[in-house]
Amino acid sequence: MTYNEQRFRAAMAQSNKSTPAFPTAQETWDARAPTVPLGVGWLQPEDISPMAVFLASDAAALVTGAEMAVTGGDAAKVS
């Protein structure tokens, strides 16, 4: 959500792409997206908000001590 050159460099390094001197958000997204199963460079607020709405709803009344991973499959990297 903010420009973070250090994070962009780290994300590009994880994708095994060469890192430009000053990576842009779009370059980083494009490099990272193919390595995530759902093909997204990183999550946007609208990707996470449905989980927040669910947890705030009556439907989640019995949900306790749970960890909800809204990651777009980031933990399952694609080579």
Side-chain angles (χ1 to χ4, degrees):
M1 295 175 88
T2 61
Y3 183 85
N4 186 324
E5 189 174 310
Q6 183 177 2
R7 183 169 171 127
F8 288 171
R9 288 179 192 276
M12 290 189 84
Q14 288 177 349
S15 68
N16 297 322
K17 300 283 184 181
S18 61
T19 305
F22 300 100
T24 66
Q26 189 62 51
E27 288 171 324
T28 306
W29 174 284
D30 293 343
R32 191 172 186 284
T35 70
V36 179
L38 294 182
V40 296
W42 49 75
L43 297 178
Q44 300 295 321
E46 58 270 17
D47 299 324
I48 299 167
S49 57
M51 179 56 70
V53 170
F54 166 72
L55 290 171
S57 74
D58 289 340
L62 299 178
V63 175
T64 60
E67 181 178 318
M68 308 293 185
V70 183
T71 66
D74 189 39
K77 292 287 187 179
V78 176
S79 298

